[in-house]
Amino acid sequence: MARIVQKFGGTSLADIERVKDAAQLVKREVGADNQVLVIVSAMAGITDRLVNHASEISTLHDAREYDVVVSTGEQLTAGLFALALQNLGIAARSWLAWQIPIHTDGVHGKARIETIDSVGLEHSLAAGEVVVVAGFQGLGPDNRVTTLGRGGSDTTAVALAAALDAERCDIFTDVDGIYTSDPRIVEKARKLEKITYEEMLEMASVGAKILQTRAVEMAMKNGVRLQVLSSFSGEPGTLVIDEDEIVEQELVSGIAYSRDEAKITLTQVADRPGVAAGIFGPLADASINVDMIVQNVSADQKTTDLTFTVTKADLERAVATLEERRGDLGYADLVADAGVVKVSVIGVGMRSHAGVALRMFQTLAEKGINIQVISTSEIKVSVLIAEEYAELALRALHGAYDLDVD
Ligand code: ADP
Ligand code: ASP
Ligand code: MG
C-alpha cells in the first residue's frame, strides 16, 4: 500500500462540479489501495476577494486578523471535499491546520511551517479514512491562525508529504505541467517533462507562481517526489527531480516574470559606513523582504542614490517605515514606483556557459526596453523593467534562447 498526497488548486475546485470531479481522482487512488492525503486550496478567486475585503477596511491592517479572514477559503473547500468523498462512499475527514496541528512561526501573512504533529493524521489514515487538509494555514506560537503566503497550499502539501513520508506529491492545477515560461503569456512555451529542484526553485523564487518557492525548497531538502499535472487532461505532468537524474541539460530552462515588485529609490543618501544597515535594518524588523538592490558610486564622495525592490504588498509599509526614520537616514527624496516587473532567465547550464546575460541585454535593447535594475545568481539573471513591456520581453527572450516550440 502506497501513501500519496494529492493537492488541488483553486481552479480544480472552482465550483461544486469540479470538486466532485477532483474527488473522482482521489477515488481512483483509493481504489488502487493507496492511502491518500488531499490538500485543498480555496475556490478560484476566493482568496483574492478575502484579501480585498481586508484591504477595504485598511491597507495597513493587523496581520493576525488578515490571517483570520484570508484562511477561511480553505475551510470551505476542505469540508466540501470531505462531503464529496463521503458521497462516493469513501470514508473521509477534513482537518484544519490547528486541529492537526501544523505549527508555524509567528510571521503572520507569510508564516513558515516549523513542525507537524502527525499523530492524528496517522490514526485517521490507519482507520481507512482519506485525510482532507485545508492548505495555506497554520497555527502560530501565539495560538492564532497563520497563513503561509500566497500559493501556500503547495507548501502544506509538500510539508505533509515529507512529514508522513508519502511516496509521491501530485500538484493538480490548471495547466498540464511546468513550461519554459508562463503558457498564458508565451503561446510558444514548451512543456517540460522534467525539471531540477534547483531550477524550479529559482523559477518559483523569481515569480513563476506554478509552485510556491518554499514548497520546492522543502521538496528538495526532503527528497519529496513532486509532480505538477492537470486535474482535467489526464496527461502525465512535469516531474521535479534531482540534477543528476537529468541526462541532457539545456543552457536556459525557463523565463519567468513577477508583477509583484515595487521599486523604491532614496536619493542623496549619505555615503558612509552603516547607512545601508540603517535603511535595511528597520525593513527587516518589519518583516519586509528586500529583493534587488543597486547603489551607485558616489560622484561627490558625500551622497549617493540607493534603489531596491520590495513586494507590491509591502510597498506601503516600506514607505511608511522609511518615512518615519527620515530624520535619522537623512535622504533627500523617496520615490516609490509600483509600475515595474521583474523578468528572469533561469538555467543550470549558465554555470558553465558565458554570454547568457549578454544575450538577454541585447534582446531587450533590440526591443527598445530599458533595464532599470539587474541582479544575478549562479543560475539566474533578473532585470527590472517598466510593467508595460512585460509580455514583449518574455516573448522576445523566449525566442532568443531557442525555447519556442515550432
Ligand atoms: P493553483 O490555483 O492550481 O495553485 P496557480 O495559479 O497558483 O494555480 O498556478 C498555476 C498558474 O501558474 C498557471 O495557470 C500559469 O499561468 C502560471 N505559470 C507561471 N509560470 C508557469 C510555468 N513556467 N509553467 C506553467 N505555469 C506557469
Ligand atoms: N488560496 C491561497 C492563495 O490563493 C493558497 C493557495 O492557493 O495555494 O494564495
Ligand atoms: Mg498556486
Side-chain angles (χ1 to χ4, degrees), residues 41-42 47 74 136 150-154:
S41 293
T47 310
E74 275 76 7
F136 183 50
R150 297 306 305 270
S153 50
D154 296 333

Side-chain angles (χ1 to χ4, degrees), residues 7-10 41 150-154 171-174 209-212:
K7 179 255 168 178
F8 295 94
S41 293
R150 297 306 305 270
S153 50
D154 296 333
I171 307 283
F172 289 94
T173 184
D174 56 356
K209 64 176 185 148
I210 182 83
L211 285 173
Q212 202 196 32

Side-chain angles (χ1 to χ4, degrees), residues 5-9 13 37-43 47 67 70-79 81 94-98 100 102 104 113 131-139 145-160 212:
V5 168
Q6 295 184 303
K7 179 255 168 178
F8 295 94
L13 305 170
L37 291 103
V38 175
I39 318 304
V40 290
S41 293
M43 287 177 163
T47 310
D67 278 348
V70 304
S71 61
T72 55
E74 275 76 7
Q75 172 161 351
L76 173 63
T77 44
F81 209 106
S94 68
W95 296 77
L96 301 178
W98 64 266
I100 298 176
I102 296 175
T104 69
I113 296 179
V131 156
V132 183
V133 178
F136 183 50
Q137 29 174 279
L139 181 67
V145 64
T146 54
T147 60
L148 309 179
R150 297 306 305 270
S153 50
D154 296 333
T155 303
T156 308
V158 174
L160 284 165
Q212 202 196 32

Side-chain angles (χ1 to χ4, degrees), residues 373-394:
V373 185
I374 301 171
S375 74
T376 61
S377 79
E378 205 186 5
I379 66 163
K380 171 211 82 188
V381 186
S382 302
V383 297
L384 196 71
I385 61 174
E387 190 170 48
E388 58 265 36
Y389 296 119
E391 301 189 356
L392 177 63
L394 278 175

Side-chain angles (χ1 to χ4, degrees), residues 92-174:
R93 192 55 67 206
S94 68
W95 296 77
L96 301 178
W98 64 266
Q99 294 172 303
I100 298 176
I102 296 175
H103 293 285
T104 69
D105 63 18
V107 185
H108 283 275
K110 45 185 167 193
R112 251 177 208 280
I113 296 179
E114 289 185 336
T115 56
I116 295 178
D117 186 344
S118 55
V119 176
L121 298 183
E122 287 285 4
H123 273 135
S124 180
L125 290 168
E129 288 171 348
V130 170
V131 156
V132 183
V133 178
F136 183 50
Q137 29 174 279
L139 181 67
D142 53 1
N143 237 9
R144 303 198 64 89
V145 64
T146 54
T147 60
L148 309 179
R150 297 306 305 270
S153 50
D154 296 333
T155 303
T156 308
V158 174
L160 284 165
L164 282 102
D165 211 11
E167 196 154 290
R168 226 170 66 220
C169 181
D170 288 345
I171 307 283
F172 289 94
T173 184
D174 56 356

